[in-house]
Amino acid sequence: MNASAGGVETSDVVAAALRDKRPVVALESTIIAHGTDAQKARYLQPLLSAEEIWCQGFSEPGAGSDLAGVRTAARLEGDRFVLDGQKVWSSYAHIADFCILLTRSDPESSRHAGLTYLIVDMHAPGVDVRPLRQITGEAEFNEVFFDGVRVPAENLVHKLNEGWAVAITTLAYERDLLTFIRHISLRNALHRLVALARTRGAGSDPILRQKIAALWIGEQALQMNAYRSLTKILRGGAPGPEGSTSKLFWSQLDQELALTATELIGPYSQIAEGSPWAVDHGQWEFYELLARGSGIRAGTSEILRNILAERVLGLAKD
Ligand SMILES: Cc1cc2nc3c(=O)[nH]c(=O)nc-3n(C[C@H](O)[C@H](O)[C@H](O)COP(=O)(O)OP(=O)(O)OC[C@H]3O[C@@H](n4cnc5c(N)ncnc54)[C@H](O)[C@@H]3O)c2cc1C
């Protein structure tokens, strides 16, 4: 767990993954909704306790927002699938034990048909993980190559060629219920921002006060909306397209928070950890760079607005 992959120290990444359990809620909910009894018995407990780390293999070089363009091939040969292809931007793949993988199992199919959802052992022969360094300096996500990887047929989630419905479940939970976890890290950052404003004597600046107050109101709204989603799910419901509101709103707040910290600190906000001039050990420099990805991961803001426009408001299709 503390090994380094491709020269990348993983201990911080593991700590972050365990701290906010980013993919876990969506993966666990998917297995509960679509997995077999044997899959639930085998995978759920160590997934929840983080004894086993999972990653999500959806995006490919030619399939990001347009996820139905997935091309990673899964050929069914007897009692196993054989995988060939490539995924990209797979968070934590370099430390993951398992991957939920969206594959194209029918080579004649296109778009949403002919896709199959598999659980893949990341330690299997033929899996090659190559970390990608990000703007923050970390390497949280990766390219993953599959070269003749064999996957037991019992690792099929739901039905052959019907993986799109399973992927939608994962995405819906990722965009909706996961906001609970995103909200906690946002609230923690907001508390740190308030402390910083006080320390720097900026609490009496009327413009800054307005901005922080707006962030505070947004944070409360995010939390209430997350409770609303949780209540719906606890009553037997499932997240729907309206859940995209939570992820979209969080990403906007997250970026506004980063911007407010940058304005408060001024040019010193760009100094990274390790320099004696770094404010708060460079955490705001890191936060600002990390927030660039908030409007991309788990669906870009443009895509989420399209979903809300078409599927919630009933407006014309994109
Ligand atoms: C930090 C981070 C972690 C990630 N982790 C994972 C992971 O663990 N697993 C995984 O599978 N993926 C992961 N991703 C990938 C992420 O899901 C994709 O980056 C995202 O879906 C966008 O796809 P893309 O990068 O191919 O961009 P593209 O789809 O090529 O989009 C490029 C731009 O075009 C816009 N655009 C595209 N289509 C439309 C449209 N129809 N209307 C309007 N605008 C449009 C987009 O909004 C975007 O601005 C991660 C990404 C980030 C940043």
Side-chain angles (χ1 to χ4, degrees), residues 126-141:
V127 178
D128 180 15
V129 179
R130 302 182 194 167
L132 294 167
R133 196 162 293 281
Q134 293 154 251
I135 193 173
T136 55
E138 280 192 325
E140 175 205 76
F141 56 31

Side-chain angles (χ1 to χ4, degrees), residues 56-59 64-66 88-91 134 140-141 293 296-300 302-303 306 318:
Q56 181 174 325
F58 280 15
S59 305
S65 301
D66 189 13
V88 71
W89 320 128
S90 314
S91 300
Q134 293 154 251
E140 175 205 76
F141 56 31
I296 302 173
R297 69 188 328 155
T300 70
E302 291 77 16
I303 294 302
N306 279 349
D318 167 35

Side-chain angles (χ1 to χ4, degrees), residues 3 48 53 76 88 91 119 146 151 181 192 228 264 271:
L48 275 169
I53 305 287
L76 185 56
V88 71
S91 300
I119 296 171
F146 300 91
V151 179
I181 292 147
R192 293 199 301 274
R228 182 161 52 182
L264 170 62
I271 300 176

Side-chain angles (χ1 to χ4, degrees), residues 11 13 37 62 73 94 200 229:
S11 53
V13 179
D37 288 344
H94 57 299
R200 297 174 78 87
S229 295

Side-chain angles (χ1 to χ4, degrees), residues 25-90:
V25 175
L27 309 193
E28 168 236 314
S29 304
T30 304
I31 291 177
I32 290 173
H34 297 284
T36 62
D37 288 344
Q39 287 167 350
K40 290 175 195 171
R42 163 64 187 84
Y43 297 115
L44 284 179
Q45 195 279 329
L47 198 166
L48 275 169
S49 64
E51 285 162 76
E52 291 174 342
I53 305 287
W54 287 59
C55 66
Q56 181 174 325
F58 280 15
S59 305
E60 297 183 4
S65 301
D66 189 13
L67 189 58
V70 157
R71 295 174 67 87
T72 294
R75 285 190 322 280
L76 185 56
E77 294 182 357
D79 61 355
R80 68 188 179 209
F81 290 91
V82 180
L83 305 180
D84 287 286
Q86 184 200 344
K87 296 289 173 178
V88 71
W89 320 128
S90 314

